[in-house]
Amino acid sequence: MVDYPVETLLETRFVRVFDLKYAPGRHYYTATRRTREEMVAEMDDASFRSMVPDAVSLCVVWHEADQPDRMLLNREFRYPLGQFVASVPAGLIDPEDRGKDRAEAIRTAAMRELYEETGITPGEKDTFRILNACLFSSPGLTDESNAMVRLDLYGHSREELTQSHAEGSELFGGFQMVTREEAARMMAEERISVYTWIGLSEFLRG
């Protein structure tokens, strides 16, 4: 928990930049999705350990009869990269879900993002598991956090897949169904996000 001055440098709807003046004449700049009062650096230890993350990322494993398992990925345009890249379904946890139990908030966001980005609504045979409730992608720059979850889908048709429910600035360019051999190659060779890499790693584990 910080005990030094914090100055707001930039404030927009989705991103804020703060100057953490941790010593006289010393500045540490951090980007966050959170307000000044909600930023992680302001949390006590108990709040830090129980915090609801900013977003959720999904490792989606597709089980199809008489076919090897595959992992479902999106091709998504990432504006900071200027490229379409392979991505796991992912999205922000809505403000109205932040008051829920952390596991419930994560599950609610995961199911919403799965539907928005793939068109799939899980059924009774499908399974859901939280792999890690709060991961930090680049804590030297930002306090942005993601939960990482796994969804195993059974008996769905590829005809159900659609990216027509995407909202806002999201721009998709189709799906990829990757085998474990393709997943291993992607982990070694492709430019992907750390959360996509984690999802591929989970898929390779079985």
Side-chain angles (χ1 to χ4, degrees):
M1 185 173 179
V2 299
D3 58 357
Y4 37 76
V6 177
E7 180 183 353
T8 304
L9 301 180
L10 173 70
E11 187 161 6
T12 69
R13 181 182 177 189
F14 292 111
V15 178
R16 297 166 182 86
V17 177
F18 295 105
D19 177 4
L20 309 182
K21 299 179 180 181
Y22 64 94
R26 298 283 186 169
H27 304 268
Y28 202 104
Y29 304 104
T30 180
T32 181
R33 295 186 181 278
R34 297 170 176 262
T35 66
R36 169 71 172 78
E37 296 74 24
E38 296 170 330
M39 63 188 297
V40 176
E42 294 279 39
M43 293 181 179
D44 59 28
D45 189 61
S47 298
F48 178 76
R49 293 183 180 279
S50 63
M51 63 178 279
V52 175
D54 297 309
V56 61
S57 295
L58 293 71
C59 170
V60 180
V61 182
W62 188 273
H63 301 272
E64 201 168 5
D66 303 319
Q67 296 290 330
D69 293 344
R70 287 177 165 81
M71 183 173 168
L72 176 62
L73 296 170
N74 291 317
R75 298 295 300 180
E76 183 172 3
F77 189 81
R78 291 301 191 182
Y79 292 88
L81 304 183
Q83 303 282 335
F84 278 94
V85 295
S87 300
V88 293
L92 297 176
I93 292 178
D94 286 350
E96 56 267 28
D97 293 327
R98 294 197 164 277
K100 298 178 179 178
D101 169 78
R102 180 165 68 177
E104 183 182 356
I106 291 169
R107 183 182 180 90
T108 298
M111 297 305 166
R112 182 184 64 250
E113 294 303 325
L114 182 72
Y115 176 74
E116 288 182 2
E117 297 190 10
T118 72
I120 298 293
T121 299
E124 292 182 359
K125 295 181 179 179
D126 303 325
T127 62
F128 172 87
R129 179 161 55 97
I130 296 175
L131 302 174
N132 191 300
C134 191
L135 294 167
F136 297 98
S137 58
S138 186
L141 173 68
T142 175
D143 66 4
E144 184 187 37
S145 56
N146 267 242
M148 193 77 210
V149 308
R150 174 169 173 156
L151 275 163
D152 286 79
L153 302 178
Y154 297 87
H156 290 271
S157 167
R158 298 195 188 197
E159 294 180 355
E160 296 177 61
L161 293 172
T162 178
Q163 294 170 329
S164 63
H165 304 299
E167 297 182 350
S169 61
E170 293 178 321
L171 178 59
F172 294 102
F175 297 102
Q176 281 182 259
M177 288 279 197
V178 300
T179 63
R180 287 189 167 85
E181 291 76 14
E182 292 166 333
R185 179 197 61 77
M186 292 178 70
M187 290 177 67
E189 299 177 4
E190 289 208 17
R191 279 33 174 182
I192 53 179
S193 79
V194 64
Y195 296 113
T196 301
W197 197 96
I198 293 170
L200 291 165
S201 178
E202 169 65 20
F203 175 51
L204 284 178
R205 290 176 58 190

